[in-house]
Amino acid sequence: MKVLLSVLLLGTTFFTMTLSAKEKYFVVERESESVAVVEDGLAKRHMRHMHNMNHGIIKFAGKDAYLISRDGYVVKFDPKTEKKEAEYKTSKSAIGFVIGKNYVAVANYDDKSVDILTRDLKPIQKIVTGSKNVGIKIYKNMIIFAEMDNDKVAVLKNENQGKGLPKFKIFKEFNVGKMPFDAMIQGHTYIVGFFLTKGFGVINLDTMKYKLIKVTAEGNKPVLKVPHFGFWSLSHDKTFIPAVGDNKVLVYDKKFHFIKNIDVKGLPVFTSLSPDQKYLAVTFSGKNFPTIQIIDTKTLKIIKTFTFPGKVLHVRWSKEYPDLYVSVNDANQVSVIDTRNWKLERDIFQIEHPSGIFLYESKKKK
């Protein structure tokens, strides 16, 4: 009996140490101006007074974590202690930010500017654009962003070349499609989507050349619009695009040659590729908000459909364990799917209207 008890205790200790070894999840609580901290499969703590968390975003840079709120606050906090270290209000409404080696750049909706701050959130520079600004990215000593109201993409270069605090100046502006929005960066290529132009723009940041690419689907049918690049998934050999306004996920090769349309249950919003790139999770809007579907990226077939008791707003794959975390907003829970057998493993409660799930990878505990 003592031997059996010792084995059970050893197994329990090993499981707990393994589960809590490397990953911590910060879950945006959309309606509560707060962030839930999930460890060991439980909501352990809540970071309060984090401002308007509607579309709140968290990013990590080394030992630092940064959060941007919808009402224009940038908050720096320690992801290990979860203590707020600094905050700064850039505008009435902010949409995105990037973290450089010695600065943070924030794209503002309302006051139509881009703010450059120190890593401790002290103001350095405010760049007035006269437009809502989105799709902000970093390449070498440049920042690149889209000006929605001006149909432009601006490239700003750091005149101080990384020495001391940055000083950004306009280097190049591109007239692009109508109402540019989200963007992504692949190597030296900045790709921007549009709300009102059928296609997307590509800028080579080494040659500073721009071209418009018109994406077509089966039968040479144009894609309606592709504004949200944050919702695309890029594997080593394929690009997966949720079709706006159609019940399909569009599949292309890396040169945007059409491969296939995958018919899905509803209007896809978000695609998320597993760390091993074997599976794609797809979320939906409208009547299929509570659903996610899993696609095998080799066969391009749907292998599993899950339905939850409320709107699914976000998913996040674990990098260490065979788990997929699902944010179920209406049910005040995060559900966890075991990806080995594609079964619902558990529900994490005591989370208020969750939306974005952000994974912090810490060093393994000894």
Side-chain angles (χ1 to χ4, degrees), residues 90 96 98 104-109 111-117 125-134 136 143-147 154 156 168:
T90 61
V98 286
V104 176
V106 183
N108 298 308
Y109 252 39
D111 64 355
K112 298 187 176 182
S113 68
V114 171
D115 276 280
I116 311 298
L117 313 173
Q125 186 179 3
K126 182 177 277 287
I127 300 153
V128 178
T129 65
S131 168
K132 296 188 287 290
N133 304 290
V134 291
I136 191 164
I143 57 173
I144 309 97
F145 56 89
E147 299 178 17
L156 277 61
F168 285 98

Side-chain angles (χ1 to χ4, degrees), residues 17-220:
M17 288 176 66
T18 302
L19 185 63
S20 61
K22 292 185 178 181
E23 296 186 338
K24 178 190 284 190
Y25 294 86
F26 291 86
V27 184
V28 167
E29 296 183 295
R30 192 182 178 102
E31 312 299 331
S32 306
E33 298 195 351
S34 59
V35 175
V37 181
V38 172
E39 289 182 298
D40 303 339
L42 297 171
K44 293 291 186 71
R45 294 167 296 279
H46 298 263
M47 300 169 60
R48 304 289 185 185
H49 312 297
M50 305 302 279
H51 307 291
N52 185 340
M53 285 287 92
N54 192 348
H55 299 295
I57 298 170
I58 298 172
K59 294 183 180 181
F60 306 101
K63 296 179 179 179
D64 300 327
Y66 295 87
L67 175 153
I68 190 168
S69 69
R70 187 66 191 213
D71 52 345
Y73 282 92
V74 186
V75 177
K76 179 185 179 183
F77 66 92
D78 185 322
K80 290 187 176 180
T81 65
E82 299 147 27
K83 300 295 184 185
K84 187 186 292 188
E85 296 181 336
E87 70 174 43
Y88 182 80
K89 186 173 175 63
T90 61
S91 63
K92 293 179 182 177
S93 176
I95 194 68
F97 70 108
V98 286
I99 307 166
K101 183 178 179 181
N102 62 346
Y103 68 89
V104 176
V106 183
N108 298 308
Y109 252 39
D110 181 7
D111 64 355
K112 298 187 176 182
S113 68
V114 171
D115 276 280
I116 311 298
L117 313 173
T118 67
R119 286 283 295 262
D120 290 325
L121 305 186
K122 304 293 184 185
I124 299 174
Q125 186 179 3
K126 182 177 277 287
I127 300 153
V128 178
T129 65
S131 168
K132 296 188 287 290
N133 304 290
V134 291
I136 191 164
K137 304 294 175 187
I138 292 174
Y139 180 68
K140 294 183 178 178
N141 64 336
M142 296 177 279
I143 57 173
I144 309 97
F145 56 89
E147 299 178 17
M148 283 184 71
D149 304 321
N150 297 334
D151 298 338
K152 286 183 180 180
V153 168
V155 179
L156 277 61
K157 185 174 282 189
N158 179 10
E159 291 187 319
N160 291 340
Q161 298 292 325
K163 298 176 182 178
L165 294 178
K167 182 181 179 183
F168 285 98
K169 186 175 181 181
I170 293 175
F171 175 70
K172 184 85 172 176
E173 291 181 311
F174 297 90
N175 293 314
V176 293
K178 292 183 180 179
M179 201 176 287
F181 189 60
D182 203 4
M184 64 180 176
I185 193 162
Q186 280 184 285
H188 61 271
T189 304
Y190 181 86
I191 305 172
V192 61
F194 308 106
F195 270 112
L196 300 177
T197 292
K198 295 178 181 180
F200 56 90
V202 175
I203 298 172
N204 184 318
L205 296 170
D206 288 336
T207 63
M208 288 294 155
K209 301 293 184 183
Y210 170 79
K211 63 180 177 181
L212 178 69
I213 295 179
K214 298 199 172 183
V215 175
T216 57
E218 208 165 19
N220 207 36

Side-chain angles (χ1 to χ4, degrees), residues 169-292:
K169 186 175 181 181
I170 293 175
F171 175 70
K172 184 85 172 176
E173 291 181 311
F174 297 90
N175 293 314
V176 293
K178 292 183 180 179
M179 201 176 287
F181 189 60
D182 203 4
M184 64 180 176
I185 193 162
Q186 280 184 285
H188 61 271
T189 304
Y190 181 86
I191 305 172
V192 61
F194 308 106
F195 270 112
L196 300 177
T197 292
K198 295 178 181 180
F200 56 90
V202 175
I203 298 172
N204 184 318
L205 296 170
D206 288 336
T207 63
M208 288 294 155
K209 301 293 184 183
Y210 170 79
K211 63 180 177 181
L212 178 69
I213 295 179
K214 298 199 172 183
V215 175
T216 57
E218 208 165 19
N220 207 36
K221 179 182 176 183
V223 176
L224 297 179
K225 50 184 177 178
V226 283
H228 279 289
F229 284 101
F231 302 160
W232 287 31
S233 292
L234 309 175
S235 73
H236 65 277
D237 63 345
K238 297 183 184 76
T239 299
F240 299 91
I241 307 172
V244 176
D246 203 353
N247 293 15
K248 300 179 189 301
V249 171
L250 314 178
V251 188
Y252 296 85
D253 67 15
K254 299 303 284 186
K255 294 184 179 180
F256 292 101
H257 297 133
F258 176 73
I259 297 174
K260 183 180 179 179
N261 284 340
I262 302 173
D263 291 316
V264 291
K265 186 172 182 177
L267 299 173
V269 173
F270 184 80
T271 65
S272 179
L273 196 64
S274 63
D276 60 10
Q277 300 192 358
K278 291 181 179 179
Y279 303 103
L280 187 78
V282 184
T283 70
F284 302 95
S285 63
K287 66 179 182 179
N288 292 298
F289 237 137
T291 302
I292 69 167

